[in-house]
Amino acid sequence: MTAGKASVQPVILSGGSGTRLWPLSREDRPKQFLALTGDRTMLQLTAARVLGKAGFEAPLIVANARHRVEIERQMAEIGAEGVALVLEPAARNTAPAIAIASLRVDPDAILLIMPSDHLIANVDRFLSAVASALPAVQEGYLATFGITPGTAETGYGYLCRGEAISPATYRVGRFVEKPDAQAARDYVASGDYSWNAGIFLFRARDYLSALALYAPDVLNACRNAVDHGSTDGVCFMPELTAFSGSPSISIDYAVMERAERVAVVPVDIGWSDIGSWDALYEFIERNDEAAKSHNLSLDARGCLIRSDGPVVAAVGVDNLIIVATRDAVLVIPRGESQRVKEVVEELKRLERGTLL
Amino acid sequence: MTAGKASVQPVILSGGSGTRLWPLSREDRPKQFLALTGDRTMLQLTAARVLGKAGFEAPLIVANARHRVEIERQMAEIGAEGVALVLEPAARNTAPAIAIASLRVDPDAILLIMPSDHLIANVDRFLSAVASALPAVQEGYLATFGITPGTAETGYGYLCRGEAISPATYRVGRFVEKPDAQAARDYVASGDYSWNAGIFLFRARDYLSALALYAPDVLNACRNAVDHGSTDGVCFMPELTAFSGSPSISIDYAVMERAERVAVVPVDIGWSDIGSWDALYEFIERNDEAAKSHNLSLDARGCLIRSDGPVVAAVGVDNLIIVATRDAVLVIPRGESQRVKEVVEELKRLERGTLL
């Protein structure tokens, strides 16, 4: 994007947890902290998209307070020491997280909201899309970047473009939560639908105004939490009781699906939220990414092998996902990685909490 | 066996090393120290075959001096504290190892030589065979227990029975080193051949006499090593320089294939030397052994899964061998486990010595 008066404040949301990439991802080590495609973690890749780029401020990271040390370590590794953190004392989903960030910056600041655990293969195209959305945002639109769907996924929300605001920006016609398979196929075929990927661009003041209208209890709780929050160096901690009083609600439900002036910028940027080991395999195949190798494969074909330490010797096997850590190993055929949740459920049932 | 005047002195040979069961077996942790079929290690199972049984002395273990602590720990676990050890200061194969043991006991002692890394499913039948060999041994025969071959293996030596000495004991007709496939099939079909499994019964004096005739340099070196050896509690250490001067040679080459009075007792005792992961799978299938489980398999069929720590979640996979340690994981189809040696060679080439 061109450097100009309107500089963009990236806000990286690192509040997520999850075990869909078990055994590498754990409750205390969600996938944003993993290096899945090379030497850099997903959080590092997310920050690096904007770090030092013309027109962007240093990112602000909103994260679980427990992850402070890990985030500071990862930012130092990419030369982003001293990045500002908002440390959430509780998990309240994205609407409150973004509210805190919005209340901590200049009301006219333009916020680029980015989940910390998505991959974007074509960063230049992504940054161009951000630039192209600025005019609409300057007019008060809440913009979302809609991913051109590659397949008829039923696990994502879709949004339909309406009338054009500018060549690359449209009003959002409607939001559709996870559709059935037939609807998903229709959406993809129509060319009018995008996946809702949770990447947003708006002025802080416009988000806060929308919150005041559609989710005033979120706004009030967060304003209270900021007013009574505390600061430790570059870290800001919203006050626990007030923040915990906010409803736990996503920005989509709280604001985007209700607000009047919502825009979509369709983008084809090689995006993936790496929601499963199969998704990682596909991302790597599609984008020809190098993988950090801890393996000694001999005649292994079509395998995804990941390890955070143990060397993996895969010999003469095909189409397997093999993931190794020091305390757990997963072996599962490609195409079945959604079954990881069965393993996680079984570990819970067996009270093997240290493995989760 | 019946308790009688002739009590048998078990000698367990624990000098072996090897990485055919990599990554569980390592140069410093050969397979006799692994628990592959349950809670007990192969060494513990070997000792337990005779421990406290009528007619048997407490076993004597001949081992690599580096393994002293591990052996003492494993013996204590099965209530065999204070078992006598011969600690070899160098590896010189089986003829010298057995010579040292023979020189340390009463010349009339009857030695039962047992490798520490074989499995025997039918221990009662094995003990009966030992009892049945005693009369021939009392007449000066060197007896070997010949395994009834299950398949036409080309990796073992075979021996052919000659004339009967007693109902269950025969003179050995001839020894055949690892035959070709056709010869192996012929041997199995004939019913006259057994595998040479390295389990022997003889009087110490008869072994030493045979050594004096056929391998005097082994005997002289070992006698010297014993004369100048040292004692530490229950441990005896042959003197290094003398012992190192012995040829490194197996009992088969040095004595059994040359001596006049050699007997074979054919046995069908569910024997396996577990020379590969596939061999372990087959042993477990054949003998319906329970396996120490560290796994969380869901819909895994025909798999052999072993771990010395990490939990292994194998989901929806068939006929795989999966072996996990904290620093290495092997995944290989069943039937291909001889390729483990390729992995070991590759690790050597990459100078990943800590993994060997």
Side-chain angles (χ1 to χ4, degrees):
Chain A
M1 65 188 297
T2 53
K5 261 175 107 171
S7 126
V8 170
Q9 172 62 61
V11 175
I12 298 173
L13 303 181
S14 173
S17 65
T19 52
R20 287 188 293 178
L21 298 189
W22 186 90
L24 269 192
S25 73
R26 303 292 175 97
E27 288 175 351
D28 277 348
R29 189 178 51 181
K31 75 176 194 279
Q32 61 265 33
F33 299 133
L34 305 179
L36 296 171
T37 53
D39 286 335
R40 288 188 171 181
T41 68
M42 299 181 87
L43 174 65
Q44 288 175 325
L45 292 169
T46 302
R49 271 173 220 143
V50 293
L51 205 63
K53 299 279 168 73
F56 288 96
E57 305 292 327
L60 169 67
I61 302 177
V62 185
N64 184 322
R66 285 194 303 181
H67 296 149
R68 174 180 180 168
V69 171
E70 178 65 15
I71 291 172
E72 289 178 340
R73 195 184 64 71
Q74 293 203 1
M75 289 300 103
E77 276 184 3
I78 60 167
E81 289 90 350
V83 151
L85 301 183
V86 169
L87 298 175
E88 295 181 305
R92 279 295 175 271
N93 210 328
T94 50
I98 298 167
I100 300 288
S102 300
L103 290 163
R104 291 283 299 167
V105 297
D106 184 286
D108 286 324
I110 296 170
L111 305 183
L112 173 62
I113 311 296
M114 296 188 289
S116 58
D117 60 349
H118 295 177
L119 292 175
I120 292 176
N122 196 325
V123 174
D124 288 342
R125 213 183 280 174
F126 171 61
L127 296 180
S128 295
V130 171
S132 72
L134 283 173
V137 165
Q138 295 286 23
E139 290 171 23
Y141 276 90
L142 307 173
T144 179
F145 297 90
I147 308 299
T148 303
T151 54
E153 288 286 331
T154 56
Y156 297 135
Y158 284 69
L159 39 82
C160 178
R161 71 191 66 164
E163 60 184 290
I165 301 170
S166 74
T169 310
Y170 304 82
R171 271 185 179 275
V172 170
R174 65 176 185 124
F175 282 84
V176 190
E177 275 304 305
K178 304 174 179 176
D180 64 32
Q182 183 55 55
R185 282 194 293 273
D186 293 345
Y187 297 162
V188 172
S190 79
D192 293 333
Y193 285 77
S194 304
W195 290 335
N196 179 13
I199 309 171
F200 306 105
L201 190 74
F202 42 64
R203 288 187 304 208
R205 68 163 67 257
D206 297 323
Y207 177 67
L208 294 171
S209 299
L211 271 186
L213 266 176
Y214 302 109
D217 43 356
V218 170
L219 180 60
N220 292 337
C222 289
R223 201 182 289 282
N224 240 323
V226 168
D227 288 347
H228 298 90
S230 56
T231 297
D232 176 11
V234 295
C235 295
F236 176 75
M237 284 141 294
E239 192 277 321
L240 169 63
T241 308
F243 189 72
S244 299
S246 168
S248 180
I249 185 170
S250 74
I251 180 175
D252 293 301
Y253 280 120
V255 169
M256 300 305 287
E257 298 183 9
R258 305 183 188 183
E260 285 296 313
R261 290 168 73 82
V262 178
V264 57
V265 184
V267 292
D268 186 5
I269 54 178
W271 172 91
S272 174
D273 68 347
I274 311 294
S276 68
W277 289 115
D278 282 306
L280 177 62
Y281 181 87
E282 284 154 24
F283 182 88
I284 288 168
E285 285 290 292
R286 204 162 47 233
N287 298 296
D288 198 25
E289 296 264 337
K292 190 156 106 179
S293 178
H294 273 286
N295 71 71
L296 250 189
S297 299
L298 303 172
D299 297 335
R301 290 160 298 271
C303 292
L304 177 72
I305 300 177
R306 283 297 179 280
S307 169
D308 71 356
V311 66
V312 175
V315 184
V317 292
D318 297 334
N319 301 317
L320 286 182
I321 293 164
I322 305 173
V323 185
T325 70
R326 287 172 69 83
D327 61 0
V329 177
L330 172 72
V331 182
I332 192 167
R334 267 184 42 224
E336 299 193 25
S337 67
Q338 79 288 352
R339 298 190 68 185
V340 166
K341 65 175 180 293
E342 295 175 37
V343 175
V344 170
E345 282 158 17
E346 185 68 5
L347 289 170
K348 282 180 184 158
R349 199 183 64 77
L350 298 172
E351 298 182 347
R352 301 289 300 270
T354 57
L355 294 170
L356 294 174
Chain B
M1 68 188 294
T2 51
K5 261 174 106 171
S7 128
V8 172
Q9 171 64 60
V11 175
I12 299 174
L13 303 180
S14 173
S17 64
T19 52
R20 288 188 294 177
L21 298 188
W22 186 91
L24 270 192
S25 72
R26 303 292 176 98
E27 288 176 351
D28 276 349
R29 191 178 48 183
K31 74 176 195 285
Q32 61 265 35
F33 299 134
L34 305 179
L36 296 171
T37 53
D39 286 334
R40 288 188 170 179
T41 68
M42 297 179 88
L43 174 65
Q44 288 174 327
L45 291 169
T46 302
R49 271 174 221 144
V50 293
L51 205 63
K53 298 277 169 73
F56 288 96
E57 304 293 324
L60 169 66
I61 302 177
V62 184
N64 183 321
R66 287 193 305 181
H67 296 150
R68 173 180 181 168
V69 171
E70 178 65 15
I71 290 172
E72 288 178 340
R73 195 185 63 71
Q74 293 201 2
M75 288 301 104
E77 275 183 5
I78 60 167
E81 291 90 348
V83 153
L85 301 183
V86 168
L87 298 175
E88 294 181 305
R92 281 294 176 271
N93 209 328
T94 49
I98 298 167
I100 301 288
S102 300
L103 291 162
R104 292 282 299 167
V105 297
D106 184 286
D108 285 323
I110 297 170
L111 305 183
L112 173 62
I113 310 295
M114 296 188 288
S116 57
D117 59 349
H118 295 177
L119 292 176
I120 292 176
N122 196 326
V123 174
D124 287 342
R125 215 182 281 176
F126 171 60
L127 297 181
S128 295
V130 172
S132 71
L134 283 173
V137 166
Q138 296 285 26
E139 290 170 25
Y141 276 90
L142 307 173
T144 178
F145 297 90
I147 308 298
T148 304
T151 54
E153 290 286 331
T154 55
Y156 299 133
Y158 285 68
L159 39 84
C160 178
R161 71 191 65 165
E163 60 185 288
I165 301 171
S166 73
T169 309
Y170 304 82
R171 270 186 181 276
V172 171
R174 65 176 185 128
F175 283 85
V176 189
E177 274 305 305
K178 305 175 181 178
D180 64 31
Q182 183 56 54
R185 282 194 295 273
D186 292 345
Y187 296 162
V188 173
S190 79
D192 292 333
Y193 285 78
S194 305
W195 291 335
N196 179 11
I199 309 172
F200 306 106
L201 190 75
F202 42 63
R203 287 188 304 209
R205 69 163 67 257
D206 296 322
Y207 177 67
L208 294 171
S209 300
L211 270 185
L213 265 178
Y214 303 108
D217 41 358
V218 171
L219 180 61
N220 291 337
C222 290
R223 201 183 289 282
N224 238 321
V226 168
D227 288 348
H228 298 90
S230 56
T231 297
D232 177 10
V234 294
C235 295
F236 176 75
M237 284 142 295
E239 195 275 323
L240 170 64
T241 308
F243 189 71
S244 300
S246 167
S248 180
I249 185 170
S250 73
I251 180 176
D252 293 300
Y253 281 119
V255 170
M256 300 303 287
E257 298 182 10
R258 306 184 190 184
E260 285 296 312
R261 290 167 74 79
V262 178
V264 56
V265 184
V267 292
D268 185 5
I269 53 178
W271 172 92
S272 174
D273 68 347
I274 311 295
S276 68
W277 288 115
D278 282 306
L280 177 61
Y281 181 87
E282 284 155 26
F283 182 87
I284 288 168
E285 285 290 293
R286 205 162 44 234
N287 297 296
D288 197 25
E289 294 267 334
K292 191 156 108 178
S293 178
H294 272 285
N295 71 69
L296 250 188
S297 300
L298 303 173
D299 296 336
R301 289 162 298 271
C303 292
L304 177 73
I305 300 176
R306 283 297 179 279
S307 169
D308 70 357
V311 66
V312 175
V315 184
V317 291
D318 297 333
N319 301 319
L320 287 180
I321 292 164
I322 305 173
V323 186
T325 70
R326 288 171 70 84
D327 62 359
V329 177
L330 172 72
V331 183
I332 193 167
R334 268 184 39 224
E336 299 193 23
S337 67
Q338 80 288 354
R339 297 190 67 186
V340 165
K341 66 175 180 292
E342 295 175 36
V343 175
V344 170
E345 282 158 16
E346 185 68 5
L347 289 169
K348 282 179 184 159
R349 199 184 63 78
L350 298 172
E351 298 183 349
R352 302 289 299 274
T354 57
L355 293 170
L356 294 173

